[in-house]
mmCIF file of all heavy atoms in Angstrom:
data_model
loop_
_atom_site.group_PDB
_atom_site.id
_atom_site.type_symbol
_atom_site.label_atom_id
_atom_site.label_comp_id
_atom_site.label_asym_id
_atom_site.label_seq_id
_atom_site.Cartn_x
_atom_site.Cartn_y
_atom_site.Cartn_z
ATOM 1 N N SER F 138 10.447 13.475 34.717
ATOM 2 C CA SER F 138 10.012 13.593 33.407
ATOM 3 C C SER F 138 8.932 12.737 33.087
ATOM 4 O O SER F 138 8.729 11.649 33.646
ATOM 5 C CB SER F 138 11.231 13.376 32.403
ATOM 6 O OG SER F 138 11.490 12.005 32.512
ATOM 7 N N THR F 139 7.991 13.197 32.139
ATOM 8 C CA THR F 139 6.778 12.507 31.804
ATOM 9 C C THR F 139 6.657 12.536 30.184
ATOM 10 O O THR F 139 7.325 13.398 29.595
ATOM 11 C CB THR F 139 5.438 12.997 32.376
ATOM 12 O OG1 THR F 139 5.341 14.405 32.046
ATOM 13 C CG2 THR F 139 5.541 12.847 33.907
ATOM 14 N N VAL F 140 5.715 11.642 29.729
ATOM 15 C CA VAL F 140 5.423 11.653 28.229
ATOM 16 C C VAL F 140 4.014 11.960 28.113
ATOM 17 O O VAL F 140 3.158 11.322 28.662
ATOM 18 C CB VAL F 140 5.828 10.284 27.636
ATOM 19 C CG1 VAL F 140 5.410 10.278 26.164
ATOM 20 C CG2 VAL F 140 7.233 9.937 27.839
ATOM 21 N N LYS F 141 3.744 12.980 27.145
ATOM 22 C CA LYS F 141 2.313 13.313 26.941
ATOM 23 C C LYS F 141 1.887 12.704 25.659
ATOM 24 O O LYS F 141 2.583 12.867 24.527
ATOM 25 C CB LYS F 141 2.252 14.750 26.926
ATOM 26 C CG LYS F 141 0.804 15.435 26.783
ATOM 27 C CD LYS F 141 0.959 16.968 26.866
ATOM 28 C CE LYS F 141 -0.413 17.640 26.782
ATOM 29 N NZ LYS F 141 -0.295 19.053 26.816
ATOM 30 N N VAL F 142 0.694 12.062 25.638
ATOM 31 C CA VAL F 142 0.155 11.343 24.450
ATOM 32 C C VAL F 142 -1.274 11.687 24.298
ATOM 33 O O VAL F 142 -2.025 11.803 25.110
ATOM 34 C CB VAL F 142 0.243 9.793 24.744
ATOM 35 C CG1 VAL F 142 -0.304 9.069 23.490
ATOM 36 C CG2 VAL F 142 1.761 9.319 24.995
ATOM 37 N N LEU F 143 -1.593 11.952 22.937
ATOM 38 C CA LEU F 143 -3.034 12.303 22.566
ATOM 39 C C LEU F 143 -3.660 11.045 22.022
ATOM 40 O O LEU F 143 -3.024 10.303 21.279
ATOM 41 C CB LEU F 143 -2.952 13.390 21.397
ATOM 42 C CG LEU F 143 -4.226 13.637 20.735
ATOM 43 C CD1 LEU F 143 -5.246 14.300 21.718
ATOM 44 C CD2 LEU F 143 -4.094 14.471 19.552
ATOM 45 N N ILE F 144 -4.693 10.564 22.735
ATOM 46 C CA ILE F 144 -5.416 9.444 22.447
ATOM 47 C C ILE F 144 -6.788 9.789 21.743
ATOM 48 O O ILE F 144 -7.458 10.591 22.271
ATOM 49 C CB ILE F 144 -5.746 8.595 23.669
ATOM 50 C CG1 ILE F 144 -4.439 8.166 24.183
ATOM 51 C CG2 ILE F 144 -6.484 7.383 23.360
ATOM 52 C CD1 ILE F 144 -4.447 7.378 25.516
ATOM 53 N N MET F 145 -6.969 9.286 20.459
ATOM 54 C CA MET F 145 -8.234 9.403 19.795
ATOM 55 C C MET F 145 -8.841 8.047 19.661
ATOM 56 O O MET F 145 -8.280 7.145 19.215
ATOM 57 C CB MET F 145 -7.860 9.984 18.413
ATOM 58 C CG MET F 145 -8.372 11.390 18.192
ATOM 59 S SD MET F 145 -7.999 12.047 16.578
ATOM 60 C CE MET F 145 -8.064 10.740 15.468
ATOM 61 N N SER F 146 -10.150 7.959 20.092
ATOM 62 C CA SER F 146 -10.886 6.735 19.967
ATOM 63 C C SER F 146 -12.242 7.066 19.455
ATOM 64 O O SER F 146 -12.739 7.994 19.861
ATOM 65 C CB SER F 146 -10.814 5.822 21.124
ATOM 66 O OG SER F 146 -11.684 6.470 22.240
ATOM 67 N N MET F 147 -12.730 6.206 18.486
ATOM 68 C CA MET F 147 -14.056 6.324 18.116
ATOM 69 C C MET F 147 -14.751 5.058 18.025
ATOM 70 O O MET F 147 -14.271 4.003 17.822
ATOM 71 C CB MET F 147 -14.076 7.043 16.749
ATOM 72 C CG MET F 147 -13.177 6.547 15.613
ATOM 73 S SD MET F 147 -13.094 7.778 14.350
ATOM 74 C CE MET F 147 -11.453 8.431 14.816
ATOM 75 N N LYS F 148 -16.058 5.062 18.314
ATOM 76 C CA LYS F 148 -16.835 3.781 18.255
ATOM 77 C C LYS F 148 -18.049 4.036 17.252
ATOM 78 O O LYS F 148 -18.779 4.926 17.193
ATOM 79 C CB LYS F 148 -17.315 3.527 19.582
ATOM 80 C CG LYS F 148 -17.974 2.195 19.718
ATOM 81 C CD LYS F 148 -18.184 1.827 21.244
ATOM 82 C CE LYS F 148 -18.732 0.366 21.276
ATOM 83 N NZ LYS F 148 -19.015 0.004 22.669
ATOM 84 N N SER F 149 -18.051 2.995 16.282
ATOM 85 C CA SER F 149 -19.154 3.001 15.359
ATOM 86 C C SER F 149 -19.805 1.649 15.223
ATOM 87 O O SER F 149 -19.151 0.649 15.411
ATOM 88 C CB SER F 149 -18.602 3.464 13.959
ATOM 89 O OG SER F 149 -17.669 2.524 13.467
ATOM 90 N N GLY F 150 -21.057 1.599 15.072
ATOM 91 C CA GLY F 150 -21.711 0.273 14.904
ATOM 92 C C GLY F 150 -21.853 -0.322 16.470
ATOM 93 O O GLY F 150 -21.727 0.296 17.383
ATOM 94 N N LEU F 151 -22.026 -1.596 16.397
ATOM 95 C CA LEU F 151 -22.143 -2.263 17.783
ATOM 96 C C LEU F 151 -20.664 -2.525 18.373
ATOM 97 O O LEU F 151 -20.639 -2.186 19.561
ATOM 98 C CB LEU F 151 -22.889 -3.575 17.428
ATOM 99 C CG LEU F 151 -24.262 -3.520 17.047
ATOM 100 C CD1 LEU F 151 -24.847 -4.908 16.825
ATOM 101 C CD2 LEU F 151 -25.037 -2.773 18.070
ATOM 102 N N GLU F 152 -19.744 -3.040 17.709
ATOM 103 C CA GLU F 152 -18.527 -3.410 18.347
ATOM 104 C C GLU F 152 -17.310 -2.848 17.699
ATOM 105 O O GLU F 152 -16.182 -3.048 18.213
ATOM 106 C CB GLU F 152 -18.410 -4.950 18.401
ATOM 107 C CG GLU F 152 -19.401 -5.641 19.181
ATOM 108 C CD GLU F 152 -19.317 -5.360 20.657
ATOM 109 O OE1 GLU F 152 -18.205 -5.153 21.224
ATOM 110 O OE2 GLU F 152 -20.317 -5.213 21.380
ATOM 111 N N GLU F 153 -17.406 -2.173 16.636
ATOM 112 C CA GLU F 153 -16.164 -1.681 16.040
ATOM 113 C C GLU F 153 -15.749 -0.385 16.733
ATOM 114 O O GLU F 153 -16.348 0.649 16.819
ATOM 115 C CB GLU F 153 -16.499 -1.263 14.480
ATOM 116 C CG GLU F 153 -15.229 -0.792 13.874
ATOM 117 C CD GLU F 153 -15.625 -0.558 12.304
ATOM 118 O OE1 GLU F 153 -16.718 -0.978 11.790
ATOM 119 O OE2 GLU F 153 -14.858 0.145 11.792
ATOM 120 N N LYS F 154 -14.440 -0.462 17.161
ATOM 121 C CA LYS F 154 -13.771 0.492 17.826
ATOM 122 C C LYS F 154 -12.458 0.896 17.318
ATOM 123 O O LYS F 154 -11.573 -0.125 17.054
ATOM 124 C CB LYS F 154 -13.700 0.276 19.362
ATOM 125 C CG LYS F 154 -13.191 1.375 20.152
ATOM 126 C CD LYS F 154 -13.179 1.143 21.620
ATOM 127 C CE LYS F 154 -12.738 2.277 22.477
ATOM 128 N NZ LYS F 154 -12.872 2.077 23.749
ATOM 129 N N THR F 155 -12.158 2.104 17.032
ATOM 130 C CA THR F 155 -10.745 2.422 16.516
ATOM 131 C C THR F 155 -10.231 3.340 17.500
ATOM 132 O O THR F 155 -10.690 4.310 18.002
ATOM 133 C CB THR F 155 -11.044 3.176 15.117
ATOM 134 O OG1 THR F 155 -11.702 2.305 14.307
ATOM 135 C CG2 THR F 155 -9.637 3.478 14.572
ATOM 136 N N SER F 156 -8.886 2.986 17.897
ATOM 137 C CA SER F 156 -8.136 3.782 18.913
ATOM 138 C C SER F 156 -6.792 4.062 18.210
ATOM 139 O O SER F 156 -6.106 3.086 17.846
ATOM 140 C CB SER F 156 -8.048 3.034 20.200
ATOM 141 O OG SER F 156 -7.441 3.866 21.119
ATOM 142 N N LEU F 157 -6.323 5.331 18.433
ATOM 143 C CA LEU F 157 -4.978 5.674 17.880
ATOM 144 C C LEU F 157 -4.256 6.527 19.040
ATOM 145 O O LEU F 157 -4.893 7.235 19.693
ATOM 146 C CB LEU F 157 -5.112 6.561 16.663
ATOM 147 C CG LEU F 157 -5.723 5.790 15.514
ATOM 148 C CD1 LEU F 157 -6.114 6.879 14.305
ATOM 149 C CD2 LEU F 157 -4.849 4.750 14.940
ATOM 150 N N LEU F 158 -2.919 6.358 19.080
ATOM 151 C CA LEU F 158 -2.126 7.093 19.897
ATOM 152 C C LEU F 158 -1.262 8.028 19.134
ATOM 153 O O LEU F 158 -0.583 7.608 18.239
ATOM 154 C CB LEU F 158 -1.199 6.153 20.658
ATOM 155 C CG LEU F 158 -1.783 5.205 21.596
ATOM 156 C CD1 LEU F 158 -0.705 4.186 22.255
ATOM 157 C CD2 LEU F 158 -2.457 5.905 22.828
ATOM 158 N N PHE F 159 -1.359 9.294 19.427
ATOM 159 C CA PHE F 159 -0.579 10.332 18.574
ATOM 160 C C PHE F 159 0.295 11.152 19.599
ATOM 161 O O PHE F 159 0.111 11.272 20.795
ATOM 162 C CB PHE F 159 -1.573 11.444 17.882
ATOM 163 C CG PHE F 159 -2.287 10.808 16.879
ATOM 164 C CD1 PHE F 159 -3.733 10.594 17.087
ATOM 165 C CD2 PHE F 159 -1.719 10.560 15.628
ATOM 166 C CE1 PHE F 159 -4.380 10.120 15.850
ATOM 167 C CE2 PHE F 159 -2.502 10.023 14.668
ATOM 168 C CZ PHE F 159 -3.832 9.823 14.762
ATOM 169 N N TYR F 160 1.371 11.676 19.024
ATOM 170 C CA TYR F 160 2.134 12.697 19.676
ATOM 171 C C TYR F 160 1.409 14.032 19.576
ATOM 172 O O TYR F 160 0.760 14.385 18.561
ATOM 173 C CB TYR F 160 3.532 12.819 19.130
ATOM 174 C CG TYR F 160 4.306 11.606 19.392
ATOM 175 C CD1 TYR F 160 4.667 10.743 18.409
ATOM 176 C CD2 TYR F 160 4.670 11.159 20.738
ATOM 177 C CE1 TYR F 160 5.578 9.614 18.598
ATOM 178 C CE2 TYR F 160 5.451 10.042 21.010
ATOM 179 C CZ TYR F 160 5.768 9.282 19.805
ATOM 180 O OH TYR F 160 6.519 8.142 20.047
ATOM 181 N N PRO F 161 1.318 14.836 20.633
ATOM 182 C CA PRO F 161 0.672 16.111 20.501
ATOM 183 C C PRO F 161 1.407 17.143 19.753
ATOM 184 O O PRO F 161 2.097 17.950 20.206
ATOM 185 C CB PRO F 161 0.547 16.570 21.987
ATOM 186 C CG PRO F 161 1.527 15.935 22.707
ATOM 187 C CD PRO F 161 1.854 14.667 21.956
ATOM 188 N N THR F 162 1.268 17.156 18.394
ATOM 189 C CA THR F 162 1.748 18.255 17.493
ATOM 190 C C THR F 162 0.529 18.992 17.045
ATOM 191 O O THR F 162 -0.567 18.672 17.125
ATOM 192 C CB THR F 162 2.485 17.502 16.450
ATOM 193 O OG1 THR F 162 1.539 16.727 15.556
ATOM 194 C CG2 THR F 162 3.634 16.691 16.899
ATOM 195 N N LYS F 163 0.883 20.143 16.232
ATOM 196 C CA LYS F 163 -0.059 20.896 15.748
ATOM 197 C C LYS F 163 -0.920 20.379 14.690
ATOM 198 O O LYS F 163 -2.118 20.463 14.601
ATOM 199 C CB LYS F 163 0.635 22.282 15.076
ATOM 200 C CG LYS F 163 0.913 23.321 16.053
ATOM 201 C CD LYS F 163 1.396 24.472 15.365
ATOM 202 C CE LYS F 163 1.599 25.686 16.343
ATOM 203 N NZ LYS F 163 1.952 26.918 15.631
ATOM 204 N N GLU F 164 -0.252 19.572 13.835
ATOM 205 C CA GLU F 164 -0.996 18.872 12.782
ATOM 206 C C GLU F 164 -1.938 17.813 13.374
ATOM 207 O O GLU F 164 -3.034 17.786 12.839
ATOM 208 C CB GLU F 164 0.073 18.130 11.827
ATOM 209 C CG GLU F 164 -0.714 17.580 10.548
ATOM 210 C CD GLU F 164 0.298 17.067 9.525
ATOM 211 O OE1 GLU F 164 1.484 17.059 9.787
ATOM 212 O OE2 GLU F 164 -0.118 16.526 8.492
ATOM 213 N N ASN F 165 -1.570 17.004 14.359
ATOM 214 C CA ASN F 165 -2.425 16.112 15.018
ATOM 215 C C ASN F 165 -3.634 16.860 15.661
ATOM 216 O O ASN F 165 -4.745 16.275 15.675
ATOM 217 C CB ASN F 165 -1.681 15.291 16.078
ATOM 218 C CG ASN F 165 -0.613 14.328 15.310
ATOM 219 O OD1 ASN F 165 -0.794 14.072 14.078
ATOM 220 N ND2 ASN F 165 0.334 13.786 16.149
ATOM 221 N N GLU F 166 -3.386 17.949 16.225
ATOM 222 C CA GLU F 166 -4.463 18.776 16.865
ATOM 223 C C GLU F 166 -5.435 19.274 15.827
ATOM 224 O O GLU F 166 -6.707 19.169 16.084
ATOM 225 C CB GLU F 166 -3.969 19.897 17.643
ATOM 226 C CG GLU F 166 -3.195 19.608 18.917
ATOM 227 C CD GLU F 166 -4.169 19.145 19.987
ATOM 228 O OE1 GLU F 166 -5.316 19.743 20.008
ATOM 229 O OE2 GLU F 166 -3.773 18.302 20.900
ATOM 230 N N LEU F 167 -5.002 19.690 14.758
ATOM 231 C CA LEU F 167 -5.610 20.174 13.661
ATOM 232 C C LEU F 167 -6.645 19.013 13.046
ATOM 233 O O LEU F 167 -7.804 19.182 12.867
ATOM 234 C CB LEU F 167 -4.948 20.868 12.528
ATOM 235 C CG LEU F 167 -5.570 21.262 11.250
ATOM 236 C CD1 LEU F 167 -6.468 22.459 11.559
ATOM 237 C CD2 LEU F 167 -4.718 21.550 10.344
ATOM 238 N N CYS F 168 -5.983 17.877 12.930
ATOM 239 C CA CYS F 168 -6.762 16.730 12.419
ATOM 240 C C CYS F 168 -7.920 16.322 13.412
ATOM 241 O O CYS F 168 -8.985 16.004 12.982
ATOM 242 C CB CYS F 168 -5.835 15.574 12.241
ATOM 243 S SG CYS F 168 -6.504 14.077 11.803
ATOM 244 N N ARG F 169 -7.626 16.207 14.676
ATOM 245 C CA ARG F 169 -8.526 15.976 15.732
ATOM 246 C C ARG F 169 -9.701 16.955 15.632
ATOM 247 O O ARG F 169 -10.880 16.564 15.731
ATOM 248 C CB ARG F 169 -7.849 15.995 17.092
ATOM 249 C CG ARG F 169 -8.869 15.775 18.282
ATOM 250 C CD ARG F 169 -8.334 16.036 19.583
ATOM 251 N NE ARG F 169 -7.747 17.462 19.653
ATOM 252 C CZ ARG F 169 -8.438 18.438 20.013
ATOM 253 N NH1 ARG F 169 -9.729 18.444 20.186
ATOM 254 N NH2 ARG F 169 -7.850 19.683 20.174
ATOM 255 N N ARG F 170 -9.427 18.209 15.626
ATOM 256 C CA ARG F 170 -10.465 19.201 15.640
ATOM 257 C C ARG F 170 -11.396 19.010 14.318
ATOM 258 O O ARG F 170 -12.610 19.139 14.431
ATOM 259 C CB ARG F 170 -9.911 20.618 15.638
ATOM 260 C CG ARG F 170 -9.633 20.947 17.209
ATOM 261 C CD ARG F 170 -9.257 22.431 17.174
ATOM 262 N NE ARG F 170 -7.775 22.280 17.117
ATOM 263 C CZ ARG F 170 -6.941 23.271 16.909
ATOM 264 N NH1 ARG F 170 -7.389 24.418 16.522
ATOM 265 N NH2 ARG F 170 -5.624 23.048 16.847
ATOM 266 N N TYR F 171 -10.671 18.882 13.183
ATOM 267 C CA TYR F 171 -11.461 18.783 11.919
ATOM 268 C C TYR F 171 -12.344 17.536 11.862
ATOM 269 O O TYR F 171 -13.542 17.632 11.517
ATOM 270 C CB TYR F 171 -10.427 18.613 10.745
ATOM 271 C CG TYR F 171 -11.130 18.872 9.418
ATOM 272 C CD1 TYR F 171 -11.390 20.234 8.949
ATOM 273 C CD2 TYR F 171 -11.536 17.812 8.621
ATOM 274 C CE1 TYR F 171 -11.885 20.463 7.709
ATOM 275 C CE2 TYR F 171 -12.207 17.964 7.398
ATOM 276 C CZ TYR F 171 -12.318 19.421 6.976
ATOM 277 O OH TYR F 171 -12.933 19.556 5.833
ATOM 278 N N ILE F 172 -11.972 16.360 12.419
ATOM 279 C CA ILE F 172 -12.730 15.186 12.485
ATOM 280 C C ILE F 172 -13.864 15.374 13.538
ATOM 281 O O ILE F 172 -15.001 15.081 13.167
ATOM 282 C CB ILE F 172 -11.868 13.984 12.957
ATOM 283 C CG1 ILE F 172 -10.911 13.570 11.840
ATOM 284 C CG2 ILE F 172 -12.816 12.715 13.342
ATOM 285 C CD1 ILE F 172 -9.920 12.549 12.253
ATOM 286 N N ALA F 173 -13.627 16.006 14.616
ATOM 287 C CA ALA F 173 -14.727 16.283 15.603
ATOM 288 C C ALA F 173 -15.761 17.141 15.012
ATOM 289 O O ALA F 173 -16.952 16.918 15.269
ATOM 290 C CB ALA F 173 -14.117 16.844 16.846
ATOM 291 N N GLY F 174 -15.369 18.140 14.197
ATOM 292 C CA GLY F 174 -16.288 19.046 13.585
ATOM 293 C C GLY F 174 -17.152 18.263 12.554
ATOM 294 O O GLY F 174 -18.363 18.578 12.398
ATOM 295 N N LYS F 175 -16.548 17.391 11.793
ATOM 296 C CA LYS F 175 -17.389 16.670 10.744
ATOM 297 C C LYS F 175 -18.286 15.548 11.382
ATOM 298 O O LYS F 175 -19.362 15.389 10.849
ATOM 299 C CB LYS F 175 -16.499 15.937 9.829
ATOM 300 C CG LYS F 175 -15.633 16.831 8.938
ATOM 301 C CD LYS F 175 -16.651 17.424 8.066
ATOM 302 C CE LYS F 175 -15.913 18.600 7.043
ATOM 303 N NZ LYS F 175 -16.993 19.343 6.300
#
Side-chain angles (χ1 to χ4, degrees):
S138 67
T139 58
V140 177
K141 189 175 180 182
V142 178
L143 172 66
I144 298 175
M145 249 178 29
S146 69
M147 52 195 100
K148 192 168 184 179
S149 64
L151 294 174
E152 293 295 322
E153 185 179 339
K154 185 172 183 180
T155 303
S156 183
L157 297 169
L158 297 172
F159 289 109
Y160 293 112
T162 62
K163 277 188 172 182
E164 189 175 0
N165 292 343
E166 287 287 327
L167 177 69
C168 176
R169 174 196 53 87
R170 277 184 266 161
Y171 195 83
I172 293 172
K175 288 297 175 184

